[in-house]
Amino acid sequence: MLVQLLAISAFVASGTTLASAASLSSLHSIWDDTWAEDWYTQYYVAGNGPLGIAVSSNPANDEVVLNLDTLWQGGPFSPYVRGMDFFSQQQTLLNNINVTQNNYTGGNPTEPLDPSILKGIRKEIMTNGNASVAALQTGYDGYGSYSTPGSFFVSRVGNATVSNYKRSTLFQEGKIQATWTEGKVNLQREYYCSYPTTSCHIHTNSTGGKAPATVNSFFTARPPSASNITCLSSSSLLYTSSADPTITEGMQFSFIAKVTVTGATTTCSSSTGAISISAGATDVFWSIVGDTQYDINKGTRETGYTFSNGKDTAAVAKTLIATVDALSASQIAAKHASDWSALYSGFELVLGDISEISDTKTTNASIEAFTWEKGDLLLENNVFNYGRYLLISCARGTLPASLQGVWSIYTYDDTISGYDLGAPWGSDFHADINLQQNYWGAESTNLGSLTTTLWDLVQKTWIPRGTETAALLYNSSGWVVHDEMNPFGHTAMKGGFDVASEWSDFQVAGTWILAQAFDHFDYASDSTFWKMRGYSLLKSNAQFWLENLFPNEFSSTSALVVAPCNSPEQPLLVPGSLDCTIFQHTISDLFRFILRGAAIAGETDQAFLANVANKLANMDKGAHIGSWGQLQEWGALDIDEPTDHHRHISHLYGMYPGTSLAAWNASSPSKSEIYSAVATSLQARGNGTDDSNTGWGKMHRAAVAATLGNATYSHNLYKYAIQENIVGNLFDHLGSIFQIEANLAAPGVVLQMLLQSHSSLSPQVVTLLPALPAAWSTGSISGARLRGGLGVSMTWANGKVTSGTITYDRGGPAARVVEVYEAGVLKKMGTLAFGESWSLV
């Protein structure tokens, strides 16, 4: 099967024809008929950004795993030994060895690197094509990890026979629901996290008889001495502890759980730290609030890089619960419903003929039966919609969506005879595709408002320390970051322990993110964002690159390239090399976007703009076609291997998510030659299985194939990601590890198959159904967004648009020249005035 999948020509698209029809709502929900036991594959999740929950919905012992988006170990909250990796630091602390007081530097050296060292590295690269960059790596003292605070349990007293069980995640409502019967009693439990009230809720109601008594408590996953649980009243519990229970200086956090009960009584035991609810309750409404000491606004030199608000988190939690307690359950639910609907209902997609979809199988059963050859229209819709559900649930806190969104779980570790509270890869911000991919579907599916925390991360944690990194490591102006960042401003080139430079030698991590900042401006035509925030982010990063482009002496040309660089995580060279294709494209994009947006931003520094224009004109274009017809991953080195199935396809960035190759308009090489070279590289790189079998790798391949117009390959890669990486709760899995990127990328990847517009420059070309799979020959879109402030809604049947409109409704007031194509045929062209709509048929 894998051999077939490697060959693009071997794909045969096929839809799924099933007996019974499903309702439209089934496209927006997942369900199971048994409660969850495994967090990674079965628990259902909800969130509001600051808070996340994952629930088992077990009637006997219902676990609600709690998460706070800012709860981190490490950084300025933890003492550490300089020069020691984080894991050794933790073992040192566990062994009660004396450690130095915290002096966290974000990974930066305390003294500038001798400029001759970088010059020597660059000289060696220009002579030999590569050189070690180990001298630039600075370790990762105190880097830390995302931390899990624990769980809240609702435990039934006594035994009961459960029947008629069903649990669901309802995307359109932003909540989880479980229903079951115990004897004659029918119970319904709903879980949701409300953004307007910054709270999560568990709401149980019962009919037909006497509901069972319950015991309700926090589970800390920490030693008793490291946490404190107290009764605030007969109906409320306070839980306070630290992100890292091995130390006293760690980041503090607090939760309060408070219950309102109808038909029963409550008592709180200080000795057990639990609230008991007597039998007979008809309505039980739990409110849970929590917060940490993290303050993203305290990450500057002026504030001492403390990232701490210094507050008593218990007092903060008491204030939060008082606000929530002033509202009734119905008022809170109404606020949540209104807020959620305003985001989720702003876009609608139907893939395929839903009369052919069956929802009689549980989602888990459908996943187990799924194959890429056969497909399943319901799951293909579910995965798309789940991506939007998850982004709304995790992106509106203080920090943006991380490697695991906002969800993580503690695991028991025999080696420490306790719980590991950290997360795989720290659930940090990997920015050589992962963080970027989390937002691929945001703008196009009308969720652009969810990107605010992403720009906060850049402005408030990357730029302050990244400015120091630029000066200390590169003797440069501006700012720079590398591949991996925590929320404490780690911006240096990570090294030491197990971090090879093939991972960390990636100085365009921030530059890539800034392409998405320009997209945010472009999709919404949001000049206010651009003037107040976006342009300055790009300009300050450009100041770094204006000083770090050099003539390509290795190839004896005057074309400007970056050295050192590495194509993300590629081990083919000693990583650093030169003329990495993704560097050339992301930096070129940065310069182009600055020149396009300078006037709107009110730029008056003409010397700066002239410098940008000059460097852009003289940069290597990143469009070298190699000896076997491939797009070279390193422009100066034709060393790509046709058998290299590396998980990354970074050199194809310009095809997607970038547009420099997709909208190629040069004559040498021609657009057709570029597209052919990209297709050759894409096919040679394989289907994403051989190297780590990542979901995000398959999603990137599917998006590039869609841009090439290869509907069959794109669709089958999307389905293959579902087969290989999506599990019963629709989480994206890498082996046994949850990673969220494929989940969050799915909406953007699917939209690329259905709608493309690579630039808002005049004339703006819009292509309808550019890579429509045969299985989706019928469908509809409502509320899709395009660059230039355009919106599209349309329906199609038999592979052709049957109705729809394109509207210019954001930005303005200047009119746009637009050309609309379908199947290579110009359907409509002309000047589209602001506020005007065109029919697409």
Side-chain angles (χ1 to χ4, degrees), residues 180-237:
W180 69 93
T181 301
E182 296 183 12
K184 295 181 179 180
V185 182
N186 298 313
L187 294 107
Q188 175 179 283
R189 182 169 293 161
E190 293 186 339
Y191 319 73
Y192 63 91
C193 294
S194 166
Y195 180 77
T197 56
T198 321
S199 54
C200 294
H201 301 276
I202 310 165
H203 193 182
T204 309
N205 56 67
S206 57
T207 59
K210 199 172 185 178
T214 60
V215 176
N216 309 268
S217 59
F218 286 106
F219 174 71
T220 71
R222 288 158 168 78
S225 60
S227 57
N228 185 32
I229 299 175
T230 57
C231 297
L232 297 178
S233 70
S234 64
S235 59
S236 59
L237 279 173

Side-chain angles (χ1 to χ4, degrees), residues 771-795:
L772 182 69
W776 302 347
S777 61
T778 296
S780 63
I781 290 176
S782 175
R785 304 304 309 178
L786 294 173
R787 294 176 171 89
L790 304 183
V792 171
S793 297
M794 64 181 179
T795 60

Side-chain angles (χ1 to χ4, degrees), residues 400-416:
S402 68
L403 284 177
Q404 294 187 205
V406 72
W407 300 279
S408 186
I409 182 65
Y410 48 83
T411 55
Y412 193 80
D413 186 344
D414 289 326
T415 64
I416 61 173

Side-chain angles (χ1 to χ4, degrees), residues 36-324:
E37 296 181 355
D38 179 59
W39 184 91
Y40 288 95
T41 62
Q42 297 173 335
Y43 276 46
Y44 287 167
V45 299
N48 56 16
L51 296 164
I53 58 174
V55 302
S56 68
S57 298
N58 183 337
N61 197 34
D62 192 359
E63 181 179 25
V64 180
V65 181
L66 303 171
N67 288 113
L68 289 160
D69 78 315
T70 57
L71 187 62
W72 264 72
Q73 302 169 359
F77 290 89
S78 299
Y80 65 91
V81 179
R82 288 198 59 80
M84 184 182 291
D85 67 85
F86 177 73
F87 301 102
S88 296
Q89 292 162 27
Q90 296 307 295
Q91 191 60 51
T92 297
L93 292 165
L94 288 170
N95 292 336
N96 296 314
I97 298 173
N98 290 329
V99 295
T100 61
Q101 184 61 34
N102 182 279
N103 187 26
Y104 185 66
T105 67
N108 288 325
T110 55
E111 299 292 335
L113 184 74
D114 183 343
S116 67
I117 294 175
L118 180 58
K119 289 180 180 178
I121 292 171
R122 188 171 292 122
K123 182 177 180 180
E124 185 176 349
I125 290 171
M126 291 299 183
T127 302
N128 302 322
N130 64 82
S132 171
V133 295
L136 300 178
Q137 293 183 278
T138 59
Y140 55 110
D141 297 326
Y143 186 84
S145 173
Y146 190 50
S147 182
T148 306
S151 297
F152 186 77
F153 278 90
V154 177
S155 303
R156 183 181 59 216
V157 176
N159 298 318
T161 300
V162 174
S163 60
N164 302 320
Y165 183 89
K166 181 180 181 180
R167 63 187 175 100
S168 309
T169 300
L170 307 174
F171 306 162
Q172 292 170 309
E173 300 175 49
K175 66 184 180 184
I176 302 162
Q177 184 181 86
T179 58
W180 69 93
T181 301
E182 296 183 12
K184 295 181 179 180
V185 182
N186 298 313
L187 294 107
Q188 175 179 283
R189 182 169 293 161
E190 293 186 339
Y191 319 73
Y192 63 91
C193 294
S194 166
Y195 180 77
T197 56
T198 321
S199 54
C200 294
H201 301 276
I202 310 165
H203 193 182
T204 309
N205 56 67
S206 57
T207 59
K210 199 172 185 178
T214 60
V215 176
N216 309 268
S217 59
F218 286 106
F219 174 71
T220 71
R222 288 158 168 78
S225 60
S227 57
N228 185 32
I229 299 175
T230 57
C231 297
L232 297 178
S233 70
S234 64
S235 59
S236 59
L237 279 173
L238 169 66
Y239 161 37
T240 298
S241 188
S242 164
D244 185 349
T246 65
I247 59 176
T248 58
E249 298 89 344
M251 184 190 295
Q252 301 297 302
F253 69 89
S254 293
F255 280 96
I256 290 177
K258 184 169 185 178
V259 68
T260 303
V261 179
T262 302
T265 60
T266 64
T267 57
C268 187
S269 169
S270 297
S271 60
T272 62
I275 291 177
S276 297
I277 301 175
S278 65
T282 57
D283 192 273
V284 178
F285 185 72
W286 281 100
S287 298
I288 300 175
V289 298
D291 205 353
T292 76
Q293 292 178 312
Y294 180 85
D295 188 343
I296 197 171
N297 295 306
K298 298 292 179 64
T300 64
R301 178 180 290 275
E302 293 72 22
T303 59
Y305 295 108
T306 65
F307 286 98
S308 175
N309 57 30
K311 293 181 179 180
D312 176 357
T313 56
V316 173
K318 290 174 183 178
T319 300
L320 290 170
I321 200 66
T323 301
V324 174

Side-chain angles (χ1 to χ4, degrees), residues 384-405:
F384 177 95
N385 290 319
Y386 192 51
R388 297 186 74 244
Y389 170 88
L390 290 177
L391 189 63
I392 297 170
S393 299
C394 73
R396 291 195 288 171
T398 298
L399 298 171
S402 68
L403 284 177
Q404 294 187 205

Side-chain angles (χ1 to χ4, degrees), residues 689-710:
T689 301
D690 292 353
D691 182 13
S692 303
N693 199 21
T694 64
W696 57 259
K698 299 178 187 68
M699 288 295 181
H700 194 187
R701 286 161 169 78
V704 170
T707 310
L708 291 168
N710 193 325

Side-chain angles (χ1 to χ4, degrees), residues 585-661:
H585 283 288
T586 51
I587 297 167
S588 295
D589 280 350
L590 177 72
F591 289 168
R592 273 192 291 269
F593 296 152
I594 286 172
L595 295 174
R596 283 184 58 186
I600 296 172
E603 177 64 81
T604 59
D605 189 343
Q606 296 305 313
F608 166 73
L609 294 178
N611 196 7
V612 169
N614 177 63
K615 290 291 197 296
L616 176 61
N618 289 285
M619 281 185 68
D620 184 282
K621 306 308 178 189
H624 298 269
I625 298 175
S627 57
W628 46 277
Q630 85 283 11
L631 184 77
Q632 291 179 202
E633 195 156 0
W634 298 265
L637 298 160
D638 189 357
I639 61 169
D640 307 274
E641 298 175 355
T643 57
D644 176 17
H645 294 163
H646 196 273
R647 56 195 176 276
H648 282 272
I649 53 170
S650 303
H651 52 315
L652 307 187
Y653 158 89
M655 189 62 68
Y656 188 93
T659 61
S660 51
L661 295 176

